[in-house]
Amino acid sequence: IGIMGGPARQLNEETGKMMAVPGCKIFVGGRIGEDAHLALEPYKEGIPLADESLIPELVEILKNEFGAKDKTMRKRDKLKKLVGLA
């Protein structure tokens, strides 16, 4: 996964208009090694860099393209959370 800066637009709740914000393009693919190359076409464009926008997009890509799964909480971690130790 590669991330390169680029333009993005996000809704401004105060004005109700789309505003320009710092953003990025996300690239998926390519190869490393002797015949290395990068993905040339962006997988997604115009993603705002704010955590609430970028992180869900990256999680979705990891799940869809690489088979990632959400982490399940272990029993002892649940107990620690209930007791207030976590």
Side-chain angles (χ1 to χ4, degrees):
I1 297 176
I3 300 175
M4 181 177 15
R9 298 178 76 72
Q10 190 171 25
L11 180 65
N12 183 331
E13 294 178 10
E14 294 175 7
T15 63
K17 295 181 180 179
M18 297 298 282
M19 302 294 289
V21 296
C24 66
K25 298 176 184 179
I26 299 176
F27 296 84
V28 176
R31 190 184 330 225
I32 60 172
E34 192 172 314
D35 59 343
H37 68 276
L38 300 173
L40 299 177
E41 294 297 319
Y43 184 83
K44 288 199 172 190
E45 296 185 56
I47 310 298
L49 287 179
D51 286 348
E52 60 271 3
S53 300
L54 181 59
I55 292 174
E57 292 289 343
L58 292 172
V59 169
E60 178 186 328
I61 292 169
L62 289 170
K63 287 179 180 179
N64 293 340
E65 298 295 321
F66 301 101
K69 298 191 184 306
D70 288 324
K71 184 176 178 180
T72 58
M73 191 179 281
R74 298 180 298 185
K75 280 186 180 180
R76 67 176 157 185
D77 293 334
K78 287 180 187 178
L79 290 172
K80 284 181 180 181
K81 189 174 183 180
L82 285 172
V83 177
L85 297 175

